[in-house]
Structures are given as structure tokens and as C-alpha cells.
Amino acid sequence: MTTKPWHGGELRWDHLGGEWSVLAPGREVAPTGAPCPFCPGDGEDTPPETWRLPGETDATWRVRAVPNRYALSDRHEVIIESPDHDWDLATGTDDEAGAVLFAWQERHRALRHGAAQVVVFRGHGPGAGISVSHPHSQVVGLPVLSAATRRELVAMREHYDRSGRPFAAELLAGELSSGERIVLAEGRTVAFVPFAPASGFEIRIVSARHRADFAAIPRDELGAIARALRLVLSALREELDDPSYHLILHTAPVGLEHVPYLTWSLHVLPRQYVPAGLELASGIPVITSTPEESAKRLRNRLP
Ligand SMILES: [Zn+2]
């Protein structure tokens, strides 16, 4: 039995599944029906702020970070992406999307100390299990590497040792030369539907400038990535009528920010259906649209 204490709960290692489980028995869940705790004003109710991107005056903010009141660990923050409750990444400006990604960089760096990996994710819509609908993302420092992260690391390192090139560089070259799964390519930023997606209409956003650490991307390059993200989310919203989705950052674990074999990427995973029995029984995703057709439909929705 392998366990590891963690913020009032514990991590238990599942020998059969080969992955950690987080046990958080005392964790409260956010109440429903209360006024929005993230909207500025009288109803605002968050723990003290840890970071903010100031607005035009000292009293205002564009993006802010606070500890998660319903935290899974002592390194669990919420990034409140806008003061506007109805703002959305898909319908905001490039500049606003860039401010959110900048906050991800800042808080990723801030939560690294003592963590094995820092994960960043954002949910949109009821299918993503969101308890507060105000636009927000979350950053969590984990004391262990997940088995999925470790598997990916080993595969990327082995590929690099064999070929002398990062796997992501070869994958991107292949996608660009075929073109059939490309959704958008602007400068060095590329969005594509993966050959074997984990969910229907999955979209990955990558850069031809290969870098392990998302937080090390300079501002001008981050702006181009934010724009691509906004455009593909907007296309997805149009094509699938504002579907629920998860947006997940893949970036280097702590201490591996400078290795040549890893490359960051952003993954948009639509949550259109409850997983089918076959998926739960086998762990194999069932996708009802081909990636080539999905990419074509998304391309047609771009401005
Ligand atoms: Zn709100």
C-alpha cells in the first residue's frame, strides 16, 4: 500500500491502474444559488488575493489569482479571468485572452516551489463540472508526477535519444505537410485536431518554436498563441453551439523546464457526451466524427 499525505487528505497509489488517487474526504463543495463570489462588488467573497493584473486604476483589475476556497491542496489557486461574469475566452479580445495566458505563466512559476508538477486547466459549461460559472481557470501544484505525465516523459525522452529531435517537432512537421487535420496556422502557431483524439473535436495548439516551459514564452509569442486559442474556441462555439469543454495546459514538470525533448501544448477537449460504456470498460475513447472532418468543419468557421 503506497500512500502520501497531502493537505488534510492523502494520495493513494492504485497498483492495478498504475495511477494516484486523491482522497479529499473533508473537501467542501461550492454552494449553489449563492451570489457569484468572483464578481467585483458587495457579493465578492474570495480569500485574499495572491496576484493581480491591474486595470486602468489601482482599484480595478483585469485578471486576479486567489487561493481556491475549496482547495485540493495548499497550492491550489483560482485565476479569475475577467471582472465581467459573462466574459468568455471565445468571445473576448485577443488582448484579454493574452492576459489570461500571462496569468497562467505567472501563477505556474509561483506554485512550483515544493511541487513535482503544476497543472493548469479551465472548464467551460455544465459538462465540464463547473460549480461557479464566472470565467476562471485553476492552477494546482502536485507533490507527485502523475503516471500519465511520467509515461509521456519517458516516451518523449526515448524518442529524442533515438532521433535527436523532439517528438513534437516531427509530429508538427507531419501535420503541416498533410494539412488535413490543421485548423489554423498563423506564423509559428498551429492548431490541429490530433490523428487519434481523446475526445471528439479535440484541438491542440502548439508552436513551431519548441520550448518545454510554457511560462518561458515571451510576450509577443504568447499574444499569437492567445489569438489562435481564441479563434479556435470561437470556431468550436459556432460549430457545436457553445459546447462544454476542458482546456488543459501540458508543460514541463518542475525541474525539467530546460530539457530539449519536451514541448508545451494546449489541449481543448470538448465534453459533449457522458462517456459510453465501452470507454469505461476498456479505457478506449470512442469518437463519432473523424479528425479530418472535424478539422475541416472548424476551418470553415474561422473568420
Ligand atoms: Zn461573477
Side-chain angles (χ1 to χ4, degrees):
M1 306 277 184
T2 308
T3 65
K4 217 175 159 72
W6 188 37
H7 187 66
E10 65 182 35
L11 289 160
R12 289 191 186 177
W13 178 252
D14 169 16
H15 284 279
L16 188 60
E19 185 58 279
W20 294 97
S21 291
V22 173
L23 305 189
R27 189 193 183 208
E28 293 178 62
V29 293
T32 51
C36 176
F38 298 162
C39 274
D42 292 344
E44 187 173 71
D45 181 21
T46 66
E49 181 176 291
T50 49
W51 179 88
R52 75 160 53 182
L53 188 62
E56 282 172 9
T57 67
D58 282 353
T60 59
W61 51 271
R62 296 177 62 198
V63 180
R64 65 196 287 254
V66 298
N68 189 326
R69 174 150 285 166
Y70 309 99
L72 285 167
S73 93
D74 52 359
R75 318 189 151 270
H76 186 169
E77 289 190 357
V78 173
I79 291 173
I80 305 169
E81 299 170 346
S82 166
D84 177 1
H85 191 90
D86 296 319
W87 181 83
D88 185 45
L89 255 184
T91 52
T93 65
D94 291 350
D95 199 42
E96 288 164 344
V100 171
L101 296 188
F102 178 61
W104 286 17
Q105 291 185 311
E106 291 287 307
R107 300 323 292 162
H108 194 280
R109 263 196 296 264
L111 295 186
R112 279 178 195 176
H113 183 71
Q117 71 178 124
V118 179
V119 296
V120 184
F121 53 93
R122 165 184 216 269
H124 173 83
I130 295 304
S131 55
V132 175
S133 63
H134 195 114
H136 67 281
S137 27
Q138 300 183 55
V139 185
V140 189
L142 296 171
V144 292
L145 285 186
S146 72
T149 301
R150 198 181 292 272
R151 261 197 310 276
E152 195 177 314
L153 273 182
V154 169
M156 297 300 109
R157 194 169 48 213
E158 283 175 359
H159 182 92
Y160 189 84
D161 288 347
R162 243 185 350 258
S163 68
R165 295 186 71 197
F167 174 76
E170 289 186 19
L171 178 69
L172 180 57
E175 288 298 344
L176 285 170
S177 80
S178 116
E180 56 182 348
R181 285 175 296 275
I182 299 289
V183 178
L184 171 155
E186 274 191 3
R188 285 170 160 176
T189 311
V190 180
F192 65 96
V193 179
F195 179 71
S199 85
F201 282 84
E202 177 183 351
I203 306 164
R204 289 193 196 157
I205 299 171
V206 298
S207 168
R209 170 75 178 82
H210 293 280
R211 227 184 268 280
D213 182 13
F214 183 81
I217 300 170
R219 273 317 271 278
D220 58 329
E221 204 178 313
L222 193 71
I225 294 157
R227 174 179 162 74
L229 175 62
R230 189 187 66 70
L231 287 171
V232 299
L233 286 177
S234 156
L236 189 70
R237 183 187 169 100
E238 292 280 308
E239 182 60 33
L240 299 182
D241 193 18
D242 195 16
S244 298
Y245 66 82
H246 283 113
L247 169 62
I248 293 165
L249 171 65
H250 282 225
T251 185
V254 176
L256 297 177
E257 289 85 1
H258 303 292
V259 298
Y261 53 86
L262 292 179
T263 306
W264 68 265
S265 54
L266 291 171
H267 298 214
V268 180
L269 293 155
R271 298 290 179 219
Q272 292 179 274
Y273 314 104
V274 173
L278 175 64
E279 295 183 69
L280 294 173
S282 66
I284 297 174
V286 178
I287 314 294
T288 55
S289 50
T290 68
E292 295 74 24
E293 180 63 23
S294 304
K296 187 174 163 199
R297 284 169 61 185
L298 291 170
R299 275 198 307 273
N300 289 339
R301 293 289 188 175
L302 289 173

